[in-house]
Amino acid sequence: MRIFLIGFMCSGKSTVGRALAALLGLPFTDLDRVAEQRVGPLLPFVQREGEEAFRRVEAEVLAELIDSGAGVIACGGGTPVQGDNMDRLLAAGAVVWIDVPLDVLMPRIERAGGDRPLLFGLRGAALRHRVEALLQERLPVYRRAHVTVEGSGSPAAVAARIAEALRGQLR
């Protein structure tokens, strides 16, 4: 069984993914960490090479993860919206959208600071405007997920909601 976690940046995909993998006894992989193993820290790479170069690396990593064995895979926030990635995810396993309300996301994003390539250098109203625009652009793709789980609360609680929602598919 392959479970792909999608959602906006800071929605908890990595933290919840680790909890979900432990709960289900599956391996966990973070797509962005695998990409970093190839190109180094993502922010400098994107600043140096551009977002398009990063998306190529991301697509290569995604293809390899799809071809690998079972597990829980946390995708990057923009992974499903690039090219045919969402179609590939939907065909390869259970796709779960961790849906976190904007008023919960914003403090998380602000705490993460400027390490997000698409938000680098933005603060205050400019940051919120960019987040709202990106989220609106991505929502139609996120909504295609097999399962949507509300992402507020502790990582363990969100992981338990995902496991319950997938119970029929996990057999």
Side-chain angles (χ1 to χ4, degrees):
M1 173 96 210
R2 242 183 254 102
I3 302 167
F4 297 99
L5 301 180
I6 66 168
F8 202 73
M9 60 185 83
C10 296
S11 63
K13 298 176 300 289
S14 298
T15 307
V16 169
R18 280 189 283 280
L20 180 63
L23 183 66
L24 300 176
L26 293 170
F28 170 74
T29 306
D30 185 314
L31 189 147
D32 283 345
R33 299 301 73 84
V34 175
E36 279 185 335
Q37 291 171 358
R38 300 203 180 161
V39 300
L42 298 183
L43 179 60
F45 178 79
V46 172
Q47 289 175 325
R48 185 179 62 250
E49 304 292 331
E51 183 183 358
E52 188 175 313
F54 167 69
R55 296 300 178 189
R56 280 193 302 274
V57 171
E58 181 182 57
E60 291 169 11
V61 170
L62 179 61
E64 292 167 15
L65 293 176
I66 285 173
D67 288 341
S68 70
V72 176
I73 299 164
C75 298
T79 304
V81 299
Q82 302 302 313
D84 67 346
N85 286 353
M86 187 59 158
D87 291 333
R88 293 167 57 211
L89 292 169
L90 290 165
V95 179
V96 178
W97 172 29
I98 301 176
D99 182 14
V100 179
L102 183 62
D103 63 330
V104 175
L105 275 177
M106 283 310 301
R108 293 179 183 180
I109 291 169
E110 289 164 349
R111 277 193 305 275
D115 69 341
R116 306 292 170 150
L118 298 182
L119 303 178
F120 183 72
L122 299 176
R123 303 274 183 270
L127 174 62
R128 185 176 183 93
H129 178 74
R130 178 69 171 140
V131 167
E132 288 173 341
L134 277 172
L135 185 57
Q136 287 306 308
E137 176 185 309
R138 293 174 178 183
L139 281 175
V141 176
Y142 291 163
R143 287 182 179 130
R144 294 179 58 206
H146 295 115
V147 173
T148 299
V149 173
E150 203 278 316
S152 298
S154 73
V158 177
R161 284 196 293 272
I162 293 170
E164 178 64 25
L166 293 175
R167 184 169 34 213
Q169 297 179 36
L170 294 174
R171 293 182 181 148

